Amino acid sequence: MSNDHQEDIKQFLSLMENVDERMKGTFQNMHHGYPTETLVRFLKARDWNVQKAHKMLIDCLQWRIQNEIDNILAKPIIPTDLYRAVRDSQLVGLSGYSKEGLPVIAIGVGLSTYDKASVNYYVQSHIQMNEYRDRVVSPMATEKYGRHISTCLKVLDMTGLKLSALNQLKLLTTISTIDDLNYPEKTQTYYIVNAPYIFSACWKAVKPLLQERTKRKIQVLQGCGRDELLKIMDYSSLPHFCRKEGSGSLHHSSNGTIDNCFSLDHTYHQQLYNYIKQQAKHMETSLPIKQGSVHVEFPEPDPEDTEIAETIESEFHRLAEQNGRHLTAKGSSTTLE
């Protein structure tokens, strides 16, 4: 790191000494013993502009306080059947670790429907997975691999992506904005796998809008990406949809054990859900755990995110019109995927 950046960090640390005690408390809960590394993430997100990074962090801390994010891991989604419905329609899971010890987060973009619960439950679930990653998963990896681990890899499965995905664009933009503003620079690389034509067309339109820093993080792999991913992780850590061509997001292994890291029955989700229920018991010793979603204030999307969402929407409409003309010409009833 350059001397200029060392000065930026020093200046940022100085500014943080002046925040009130409540903000210092939530910052401590957020940095998990690594305050400098946390400041560096916010500096990177704002291209090393100290004033902008400081404002970003202050806004993040205020968001955490106002929405009681420090306590969100003590608020389970109940009953279990409702949580299972969320898991079945919001396909996210931890499949393992890279050879360097980074958590590998698998996301079933194409087959997630987000139609089994209210938006608030999906946002609550996403933030809980973020917090569990930062408070439990990353610290365990740090201890196991003997070096500070605060980032992850994400493998995005586009299997089943259809034009109807446009219906989830608003929710996905909300979740993306929450991550961008409050969990910046947490993902080292995004790997896109099983990409159909519709993704390729959108990617071509969206790519020029992305900042260079973001573009460098995204790798579109051929097919299921197995061979490329095996260079950075063992087979056991490969998401199930990367293990063979055409495996798809919803398949289980054939040996009778659950191998789908999206499923509530997977070890990761069982541990996460049990952890949340245990935290709830500690906090609500004399009161029953209440049913109901946590209402988190949704931040205003970044203008860049808005432009990207509008471009995706425009591209989807163009593809739909193109498909409509194709179907009329062919007299066919096939669906563009």
Side-chain angles (χ1 to χ4, degrees):
M1 203 171 289
S2 69
N3 288 333
D4 286 345
H5 287 167
Q6 292 293 354
E7 283 302 313
D8 294 333
I9 295 167
K10 199 172 174 182
Q11 186 183 343
F12 201 171
L13 282 166
S14 177
L15 288 171
M16 290 306 296
E17 287 174 4
N18 297 322
V19 301
D20 64 41
E21 290 305 313
R22 198 172 179 193
M23 278 199 180
K24 283 180 181 174
T26 200
F27 180 54
Q28 189 169 0
N29 290 336
M30 189 176 118
H31 67 59
H32 312 291
Y34 294 91
T36 302
E37 289 81 356
T38 301
L39 297 184
V40 167
R41 287 196 294 105
F42 281 82
L43 284 164
K44 284 180 178 177
R46 289 297 177 261
D47 296 319
W48 293 91
N49 182 308
V50 177
Q51 295 304 323
K52 288 182 179 179
H54 179 246
K55 182 186 184 306
M56 183 187 188
L57 180 52
I58 294 300
D59 289 346
C60 169
L61 297 176
Q62 288 174 339
W63 174 81
R64 292 183 69 87
I65 291 167
Q66 288 165 4
N67 295 283
E68 299 184 353
I69 302 300
D70 288 346
N71 296 328
I72 201 164
L73 285 180
K75 297 175 181 178
I77 294 173
I78 53 174
T80 305
D81 285 349
L82 174 60
Y83 188 56
R84 184 177 292 281
V86 170
R87 291 278 55 82
D88 287 346
S89 53
Q90 182 187 36
L91 304 180
V92 186
L94 176 74
S95 67
Y97 298 84
S98 73
K99 292 174 182 177
E100 293 183 342
L102 303 187
V104 178
I105 308 293
I107 305 173
V109 177
L111 290 171
S112 289
T113 56
Y114 299 99
D115 60 351
K116 304 297 184 190
S118 71
V119 168
N120 290 305
Y121 279 118
Y122 289 115
V123 171
Q124 176 183 348
S125 164
H126 179 79
I127 294 171
Q128 285 179 331
M129 282 187 280
N130 278 355
E131 292 292 315
Y132 186 73
R133 173 197 65 197
D134 295 346
R135 299 189 208 179
V136 179
V137 175
S138 292
M140 284 173 60
T142 293
E143 186 175 347
K144 180 178 178 180
Y145 290 89
R147 65 181 190 85
H148 178 50
I149 291 172
S150 63
T151 58
C152 66
L153 305 176
K154 290 185 177 175
V155 184
L156 280 58
D157 180 27
M158 297 295 166
T159 297
L161 187 66
K162 295 181 177 67
L163 292 172
S164 57
L166 193 61
N167 299 331
Q168 288 96 47
L169 193 58
K170 187 174 180 182
L171 172 58
L172 293 175
T173 301
T174 296
I175 287 174
S176 172
T177 302
I178 287 171
D179 282 356
D180 290 345
L181 296 180
N182 302 294
Y183 303 91
E185 300 296 317
K186 277 287 180 179
T187 304
Q188 183 171 293
T189 311
Y190 297 88
Y191 295 100
I192 312 291
V193 302
N194 297 322
Y197 168 72
I198 188 173
F199 169 80
S200 304
C202 286
W203 176 238
K204 191 175 179 181
V206 166
K207 192 175 180 181
L209 304 177
L210 300 175
Q211 294 179 10
E212 282 303 318
R213 185 182 72 251
T214 304
K215 270 191 270 195
R216 285 195 296 270
K217 289 183 178 183
I218 300 172
Q219 293 188 32
V220 182
L221 305 182
Q222 222 173 1
C224 69
R226 179 189 55 213
D227 294 342
E228 285 299 308
L229 291 173
L230 283 174
K231 294 175 184 176
I232 58 170
M233 67 185 74
D234 294 332
Y235 184 84
S236 60
S237 289
L238 276 181
H240 53 282
F241 51 79
C242 295
R243 296 191 176 186
K244 61 181 180 180
E245 293 291 344
S247 55
S249 283
L250 294 180
H251 284 249
H252 292 179
S253 68
S254 57
N255 63 2
T257 62
I258 294 296
D259 196 34
N260 181 344
C261 65
F262 300 149
S263 169
L264 178 56
D265 298 315
H266 189 270
T267 303
Y268 162 72
H269 282 297
Q270 285 293 304
Q271 290 174 344
L272 165 60
Y273 199 44
N274 288 335
Y275 181 90
I276 293 172
K277 288 191 290 186
Q278 283 298 119
Q279 294 300 306
K281 282 182 183 175
H282 289 320
M283 284 195 67
E284 307 283 349
T285 49
S286 59
L287 297 169
I289 299 171
K290 294 180 182 178
Q291 183 176 348
S293 62
V294 173
H295 288 252
V296 174
E297 182 184 336
F298 303 157
E300 284 296 314
D302 186 279
E304 181 187 322
D305 289 340
T306 302
E307 186 180 5
I308 289 169
E310 288 171 353
T311 301
I312 292 172
E313 188 170 357
S314 173
E315 191 64 20
F316 268 49
H317 286 310
R318 185 187 70 77
L319 289 167
E321 288 172 10
Q322 185 185 73
N323 190 45
R325 289 195 298 270
H326 174 71
L327 294 182
T328 302
K330 293 281 188 182
S332 168
S333 61
T334 55
T335 304
L336 177 65
E337 295 187 357

